[in-house]
Amino acid sequence: MVQIFKNITKSPKDKRDYRGLILDNELRVLLISDPKTDKAAAALTVNVGQLSDPNGLDGLAHFLEHMLFLGTEKYPRENEYNKFLSENGGISNACTSMENTTFYFDVLHQHLTSALDIFSQFFLAPLFTEDATDREVQAVNSEHEKNLANDSWRLHQLERSTSSKDHPYSKFASGNLQTLVEDPKKNGINVREALLKFHRDYYSSNIMSLVILGKDSLDELQEKAENKFGTIENKRVTLPEWPGHPLGPEQLKKKIRAVPINDSQTLVITFPIPDMRQHYKSNPYGYLRFLISHASSGSLLSALKKRGWSSHLSAECNSVARGISLFVVNVYLTEKGLDNVDNIVDLIFQYINLLRQENPKEWIFKEYAEINNISFRFKEKVSPMEYVANVVVDLLKYPIDDVLTAEKLLSEWKPELINQAMEKLTPDNCRISIVSKKFESIADQTEKWYGTKYKIEDIPSELIEKWKNAKPIGELKLPKKNEFIPSSFDILPDNDILPDDIHPTIIYETKFVRVWHKKDDEFLLPKSNLIFEMISPFANKHQLCVNYLHIYVDLVNDALTEYSYDASLASLFYRLAATKFGLVVKIKGLHDKQHILLTKVLDTLINLEVDEERYEIFKESYERNLQNYVAQEPYVLAKHYQSAFLREIIWPKTELLKCTNHLTFYGFKDFIKQFFSSIHIECLIHGNANKAAAQKLIKLIESKLPKIPFPWSPEGLLICRDMKLKDG
């Protein structure tokens, strides 16, 4: 008897209909009816992945993911699935993680039934032909070779390779010719038979979940789910268990220095922690992540920035697999920071010790919960394929009624769980990785699969003791209450909108400013977008100008980090970027406190005071980013030059890099004065802002603008021109 779940908690703004099912074969299903969608999508995940690779066959779970696409008994042609999707407006993808293998696709909604018929056969009767097996292993190997120069893959595998050899986490996850052809041959293993056995052992409906999104009604979607997937065999598989943690006592209290491909410098502190996914309604690790990664005044990041050690920090809880979690703090290092790693770690433990001293605060939890609630309530739609791929994994982790809200809506205040989590964030329960090209001369080991050079050593016991007893300095404080959390979600009246007002119109124009406006009358959300471009003739005059402008953007963004961070938590975002014409400022999100953020952004943008030391830090960072860009794969550079050919004026990245040694602090200051001496503002206000609200924002912008002696001529504003290429 099919179990039906009709009370799935969703966002009040979500107009889609949901239904959960557990079919007779124990397959867990979520159905999503969206009458407005053009694309239908589906995803299926099986609760087995890289950690279940058999000994001597590293990468088999990933190889099986590849093989399922290549023919089934009902559809024996290898390209049947992808051919059908491409002919009907669809695409597909798949991924293998530690404990899941997920397959997903989208297609034009009218072809959903046929696509599901082909898709479902992967889990009923795949062929795994000899020919396809021999050929597809080359594709797996090519995928691995493509990742050899990717630092995120390299460093992730280094973490795994230096974990406990007794734990499957230490294996090589993606596989290559050596693990899937050469080694099995030496050991007398038939890889095709191993694939069939893996599919036979693990691909069982009782450890699978399925999400289908389409235009059809829930009843019609349920019929498709039952007809196509209800016959997947239930082998009553018991989920695999992995006793112990991959980072045991022998892997802790270590310092690893690793050499990257790109010229990047990071510090990573990794803590093995208990899996607390069952406490998703209180999310204790989320509370700690919220505070450690906070960027407001008094935060850990604020202290690091004041010392010139870092400009960015993040903290996250990685749920690797059932029973295995990692709490990770990432610090992006400046040159000065690289020389002060031990002091940075000391500062991090000072902040963690501050959290211990202060004890968990209910008001902070409530603010964190309110921020999550606002984000969930007004979350923007993503593509159907992305949506089903994200939800399908959670369907195996959480009760079906809570699958959309788990870890997003927090309702249980449990300070004892936060204290339990905090007990694991100690110097003797962590290991430290530092990444920099400067370690090339001391690296004495090479990681087997990616060739990453590294050095590993014990952290001295006296340093561990020092960090344990790190007393918080006075500047480290808990965050203040967030002034950007909205008090109003009202939709402003739109009495001044005419039926034919479907495009933005000019509502204000002077010699210096032109404002376009469009009140949203379709989505009716309490959000608005404010976009204005400061156009200056000096922005693109020569390479030095372009470089100075980009450095200025980085400095302004840095100066606004503490202030704008609270706004971003409350779903109000700003972005400042250099364009080929000047600077563009975007402020978007919930409208209620938008004017407060706009005031601060304008004040900082126009009146920023920069000292020479800060300028040098950001110049160095900008130059490193240029070097990394120029060193990227050929296709990235090809796209850059293809774009350049069509522009009337553009400086290629290579040209910008060549002249960085001519950049000076005094040249920078002169350029900024020049830039603001002659600007024109082109502005668009769109969303939950009627003309009265838009006029207030215009007055605010005008009040902050510097006095400009001479307006631009109308001809000077005709700037958006692309080249017409001649034949040949």
Side-chain angles (χ1 to χ4, degrees):
M1 183 73 179
V2 175
Q3 294 179 58
I4 298 178
F5 300 79
K6 294 184 177 179
N7 298 318
I8 293 167
T9 309
K10 65 175 186 175
S11 164
K13 297 291 179 185
D14 190 345
K15 303 304 180 194
R16 293 166 292 209
D17 292 322
Y18 294 85
R19 181 183 295 171
L21 309 171
I22 297 180
L23 302 185
D24 293 339
N25 60 357
E26 296 185 64
L27 177 69
R28 297 165 72 83
V29 181
L30 182 69
L31 307 172
I32 308 170
S33 175
D34 183 355
K36 291 192 172 180
T37 191
D38 293 324
K39 285 275 189 89
L44 185 145
T45 195
V46 56
N47 213 168
V48 67
Q50 297 160 357
L51 290 178
S52 299
D53 282 344
N55 289 331
L57 279 169
D58 287 13
L60 191 74
H62 178 225
F63 188 24
L64 178 58
E65 170 220 304
H66 276 247
M67 287 300 301
L68 280 193
F69 289 95
L70 302 178
T72 59
E73 288 179 12
K74 186 171 180 181
Y75 298 99
R77 286 194 304 178
E78 284 184 16
N79 64 344
E80 186 82 35
Y81 174 59
N82 286 322
K83 182 172 181 289
F84 180 84
L85 293 177
S86 64
E87 288 174 352
N88 294 289
I91 53 172
S92 73
N93 210 337
C95 60
T96 307
S97 67
M98 295 292 162
E99 63 171 347
N100 295 99
T101 308
T102 305
F103 306 83
Y104 47 100
F105 72 87
D106 69 9
V107 72
L108 292 172
H109 71 88
Q110 61 268 37
H111 300 289
L112 176 61
T113 304
S114 299
L116 287 174
D117 193 51
I118 302 171
F119 184 65
S120 63
Q121 294 300 312
F122 298 162
F123 314 102
L124 291 164
L127 289 177
F128 299 148
T129 63
E130 293 274 7
D131 283 353
T133 305
D134 292 342
R135 256 181 292 109
E136 197 59 24
V137 77
Q138 298 292 340
V140 171
N141 189 65
S142 296
E143 189 177 320
H144 166 64
E145 289 182 342
K146 176 177 68 72
N147 296 327
L148 284 173
N150 184 308
D151 278 329
S152 61
W153 282 87
R154 293 164 67 84
L155 296 171
H156 178 58
Q157 185 59 48
L158 179 61
E159 178 186 274
R160 295 183 63 165
S161 295
T162 53
S163 66
S164 170
K165 300 299 178 207
D166 298 327
H167 200 286
Y169 185 74
S170 65
K171 291 179 180 178
F172 169 45
S174 57
N176 63 3
L177 283 177
Q178 182 184 332
T179 65
L180 295 169
V181 177
E182 295 161 11
D183 290 349
K185 258 185 193 169
K186 285 180 200 167
N187 299 319
I189 298 171
N190 183 308
V191 175
R192 180 173 177 270
E193 285 177 9
L195 284 167
L196 289 164
K197 183 178 186 310
F198 195 91
H199 189 275
R200 197 165 54 243
D201 289 351
Y202 290 119
Y203 274 58
S204 169
S205 58
N206 73 308
I207 61 166
M208 289 180 178
S209 61
L210 169 71
V211 179
I212 304 175
L213 182 154
K215 210 162 191 159
D216 307 297
S217 69
L218 289 173
D219 288 340
E220 290 167 324
L221 291 174
Q222 180 172 339
E223 186 182 351
K224 295 183 203 306
E226 291 185 51
N227 288 345
K228 306 298 181 189
F229 299 89
T231 54
I232 296 175
E233 186 181 352
N234 183 358
K235 302 164 187 173
R236 311 204 182 279
V237 168
T238 303
L239 283 175
E241 295 286 336
W242 305 283
H245 200 286
L247 298 185
E250 291 181 8
Q251 288 76 44
L252 300 175
K253 296 191 278 190
K254 304 281 185 190
K255 187 182 278 186
I256 300 171
R257 292 183 176 90
V259 182
I261 297 287
N262 285 325
D263 191 8
S264 59
Q265 299 181 153
T266 53
L267 162 68
V268 182
I269 307 180
T270 304
F271 302 88
I273 53 175
D275 184 1
M276 285 193 178
R277 70 175 74 180
Q278 73 272 30
H279 300 298
Y280 61 88
K281 290 186 178 178
S282 57
N283 195 4
Y285 294 129
Y287 174 93
L288 294 174
R289 183 202 62 76
F290 177 69
L291 289 174
I292 292 170
S293 62
H294 217 281
S296 62
S297 177
S299 67
L300 177 56
L301 178 60
S302 178
L304 291 169
K305 284 169 65 176
K306 278 177 188 168
R307 288 156 180 75
W309 293 345
S310 175
S311 59
H312 182 62
L313 173 149
S314 68
E316 55 199 30
C317 174
N318 295 333
S319 183
V320 175
R322 289 175 307 285
I324 307 169
S325 289
L326 300 168
F327 193 89
V328 182
V329 181
N330 289 287
V331 182
Y332 298 84
L333 301 171
T334 61
E335 289 294 325
K336 198 173 173 184
L338 188 63
D339 296 331
N340 283 278
V341 164
D342 289 348
N343 291 326
I344 292 172
V345 177
D346 189 75
L347 205 54
I348 289 168
F349 282 113
Q350 285 182 43
Y351 193 81
I352 291 169
N353 288 340
L354 171 72
L355 299 184
R356 286 197 183 92
Q357 287 174 18
E358 294 283 350
N359 291 317
K361 304 288 184 195
E362 188 171 8
W363 76 264
I364 292 179
F365 175 80
K366 284 182 174 175
E367 184 172 284
Y368 174 51
E370 175 64 9
I371 286 165
N372 280 11
N373 182 33
I374 290 169
S375 178
F376 179 72
R377 181 177 170 187
F378 297 107
K379 189 175 187 295
E380 293 183 3
K381 267 188 174 183
V382 296
S383 72
M385 187 167 83
E386 185 182 344
Y387 191 46
V388 297
N390 288 338
V391 174
V392 74
V393 175
D394 287 345
L395 200 53
L396 288 174
K397 290 185 191 174
Y398 306 112
I400 291 179
D401 286 344
D402 293 338
V403 70
L404 302 179
T405 60
E407 295 188 9
K408 300 177 183 73
L409 297 187
L410 308 180
S411 55
E412 296 177 356
W413 163 238
K414 293 193 173 178
E416 70 280 7
L417 289 178
I418 296 170
N419 283 326
Q420 276 179 40
M422 219 160 4
E423 284 171 13
K424 298 297 179 183
L425 306 188
T426 61
D428 47 14
N429 186 53
C430 76
R431 70 173 181 177
I432 294 167
S433 302
I434 311 123
V435 179
S436 172
K437 276 184 169 290
K438 292 191 173 175
F439 300 142
E440 229 153 337
S441 60
I442 62 163
D444 54 7
Q445 294 190 61
T446 303
E447 195 277 322
K448 179 178 179 179
W449 301 109
Y450 286 82
T452 306
K453 304 282 187 187
Y454 70 100
K455 182 182 181 67
I456 187 166
E457 58 191 358
D458 294 329
I459 299 172
S461 55
E462 58 270 21
L463 203 49
I464 296 286
E465 285 304 308
K466 180 180 179 235
W467 292 339
K468 270 187 192 175
N469 301 311
K471 289 186 178 173
I473 51 176
E475 71 185 87
L476 293 175
K477 293 180 174 61
L478 295 180
K480 295 174 182 173
K481 290 192 186 309
N482 191 332
E483 67 173 314
F484 287 102
I485 292 178
S487 50
S488 168
F489 298 100
D490 294 342
I491 305 301
L492 299 179
D494 52 4
N495 303 331
D496 46 4
I497 291 184
L498 299 173
D500 57 349
D501 281 352
I502 59 171
H503 300 297
T505 55
I506 296 171
I507 61 166
Y508 183 78
E509 187 167 17
T510 71
K511 293 175 180 177
F512 303 102
V513 180
R514 179 163 57 190
V515 181
W516 301 77
H517 170 257
K518 171 74 173 77
K519 169 78 169 72
D520 167 47
D521 55 357
E522 181 179 355
F523 299 100
L524 301 178
L525 293 170
K527 294 182 174 185
S528 58
N529 301 305
L530 170 62
I531 305 167
F532 59 93
E533 186 163 21
M534 293 181 167
I535 301 163
S536 170
F538 299 101
N540 209 359
K541 201 170 181 184
H542 51 72
Q543 299 101 307
L544 291 178
C545 291
V546 176
N547 285 332
Y548 283 139
L549 191 61
H550 278 89
I551 294 168
Y552 189 65
V553 165
D554 291 344
L555 283 158
V556 173
N557 283 333
D558 178 67
L560 283 165
T561 301
E562 288 183 10
Y563 193 83
S564 66
Y565 184 77
D566 275 350
S568 67
L569 291 175
S571 295
L572 180 56
F573 306 94
Y574 101 95
R575 182 170 180 265
L576 171 68
T579 72
K580 56 184 179 291
F581 311 122
L583 293 170
V584 66
V585 179
K586 297 182 182 179
I587 294 179
K588 67 174 193 172
L590 297 172
H591 80 282
D592 186 42
K593 305 290 175 73
Q594 213 170 59
H595 62 286
I596 301 174
L597 180 59
L598 174 61
T599 302
K600 182 69 173 180
V601 169
L602 286 169
D603 282 340
T604 307
L605 182 62
I606 292 163
N607 304 312
L608 183 69
E609 292 290 332
V610 181
D611 64 59
E612 190 164 359
E613 184 183 2
R614 204 96 190 110
Y615 164 79
E616 289 297 337
I617 288 171
F618 279 84
K619 176 191 158 191
E620 167 203 301
S621 172
Y622 171 70
E623 191 171 353
R624 189 185 302 128
N625 288 339
L626 274 181
Q627 288 166 349
N628 286 338
Y629 189 95
V630 169
Q632 282 192 93
E633 295 175 48
Y635 79 93
V636 177
L637 294 175
K639 284 172 71 176
H640 172 62
Y641 282 108
Q642 183 186 38
S643 170
F645 289 144
L646 296 174
R647 299 281 170 81
E648 189 175 13
I649 302 174
I650 190 167
W651 300 105
K653 302 283 186 188
T654 46
E655 293 294 315
L656 297 178
L657 182 59
K658 277 179 191 173
C659 74
T660 51
N661 56 334
H662 297 293
L663 300 174
T664 68
F665 178 59
Y666 296 103
F668 169 76
K669 290 182 78 171
D670 287 343
F671 165 76
I672 299 305
K673 275 184 196 167
Q674 278 188 322
F675 180 87
F676 285 111
S677 68
S678 179
I679 57 172
H680 177 87
I681 306 271
E682 193 85 10
C683 180
L684 168 66
I685 299 169
H686 165 259
N688 189 34
N690 53 22
K691 280 187 182 172
Q695 296 285 0
K696 284 183 184 175
L697 291 174
I698 294 163
K699 284 180 182 172
L700 176 57
I701 293 170
E702 279 199 316
S703 72
K704 299 292 179 184
L705 287 178
K707 296 292 179 260
I708 303 163
F710 303 109
W712 279 43
S713 66
E715 294 78 18
L717 293 172
L718 297 174
I719 53 175
C720 295
R721 305 203 303 181
D722 282 344
M723 299 293 287
K724 182 178 179 182
L725 299 183
K726 295 177 181 176
D727 288 347

